[in-house]
Amino acid sequence: MTEQPTTAPTVRDAVTKLAALGALLDEVKKAYAEARTDVQHHLDQQHKAAGTSKLDAMLPGGVKVGSVSRTGGEKAAQITDADAFTAWVRDNFPSEHVVEIVPMQVRTSVRPAWAAQALAEMTATDAPRYVDKTSGVVHDVPGVEIRPSKAAGLRMTYTRKSKSSALDGRELVAEAWRSGDLATHVLPVLAPAAPAAPPVEDDATAA
């Protein structure tokens, strides 16, 4: 029996493979973004209700493959009223108040390095208050508020290999994908949905 020669992949095969993977990649990215938004919502709700910030990722058979944790948002002192803040600096720390005279106008501002240092101190104390290093006077700073500077997020971690499991979390997910469990129980159909057919007009409507 004569063996049939193996057909080498053609350039067209390579191009088709690239096109197919590119199309599927777009769908996976979209589904991933939607899933991430959904999980973030559940983590935020759980954090508000119970103060907990972690959920386990389980395969259909009950095998843990990882966990997702809520990363807390950050707050920082921010200038919300530049005029009020500048006037306060002018009245209390005149050496840090800058006056620039340009044709037809006068500009006033606070030295950027000093403003950054003052805001950093207010961020550290979680209050719009500043302590004068010379006099010890504590100022309630106008025009500054402690506001969120970074939204809450999430961090996904996968399980590691152990004595009870020769596969790590990513490998367990890949194995479930190969077996078909993910397609049946976890992942949505990632192929683009067929476009809806336009309504068919009958002869009376068309007339």
Side-chain angles (χ1 to χ4, degrees), residues 59-167:
L59 290 177
V63 177
K64 179 180 176 181
V65 294
S67 60
V68 62
S69 303
R70 181 180 185 272
T71 56
E74 298 177 1
K75 294 188 295 182
Q78 301 176 38
I79 298 174
T80 56
D81 187 332
D83 291 338
F85 179 69
T86 301
W88 170 75
V89 174
R90 178 199 63 207
D91 296 340
N92 296 279
F93 302 94
S95 63
E96 307 301 336
H97 183 254
V98 180
V99 177
E100 296 177 281
I101 300 178
V102 295
M104 304 302 292
Q105 59 180 313
V106 177
R107 297 176 182 170
T108 62
S109 61
V110 178
R111 297 187 189 281
W114 188 89
Q117 172 262 326
L119 290 173
E121 291 189 19
M122 287 181 258
T123 296
T125 59
D126 198 29
R129 297 190 183 92
Y130 182 78
V131 180
D132 188 328
K133 305 297 186 300
T134 303
S135 65
V137 174
V138 179
H139 295 265
D140 289 320
V141 184
V144 174
E145 295 180 11
I146 305 297
R147 289 184 169 183
S149 63
K150 184 179 179 181
L154 59 84
R155 179 176 62 254
M156 183 75 211
T157 56
Y158 291 91
T159 56
R160 299 180 180 180
K161 295 180 181 180
S162 63
K163 292 181 179 179
S164 60
S165 176
L167 303 178

